[in-house]
Amino acid sequence: MSIPDHARANFETLLRAAADGNLALMESVNAASGTPRYVICAVGRDGEAFVFTPFGHLAERNPYEVYVPPEP
């Protein structure tokens, strides 16, 4: 399984944000279902305002039960 370029670029952005101390965990709401989500965001600035760029959410349950690793 090959990781697409956009996913790799987003991951690199997350690594830079983490190294700079510019990550946040925000409570948000899933647009489709209305259920709460805990979203990992990079934090930036637009003048005096903070800008939060969502990258993904934390697993709601045990992540080992939610995700299946790729086949070798």
Side-chain angles (χ1 to χ4, degrees):
M1 175 185 284
S2 178
I3 298 173
D5 289 340
H6 73 276
R8 192 173 305 281
N10 283 342
F11 183 69
E12 293 296 326
T13 299
L14 279 172
L15 289 177
R16 285 192 307 276
D20 294 341
N22 292 322
L23 282 183
L25 182 62
M26 295 179 59
E27 183 175 357
S28 190
V29 175
N30 182 294
S33 67
T35 58
R37 294 274 194 251
Y38 301 98
V39 180
I40 301 166
C41 298
V43 182
R45 298 289 294 226
D46 184 8
E48 294 294 315
F50 287 102
V51 177
F52 297 91
T53 303
F55 281 92
H57 67 272
L58 298 178
E60 296 175 21
R61 310 188 322 254
N62 180 340
Y64 294 103
E65 295 174 354
V66 176
Y67 302 109
V68 177
E71 294 292 323

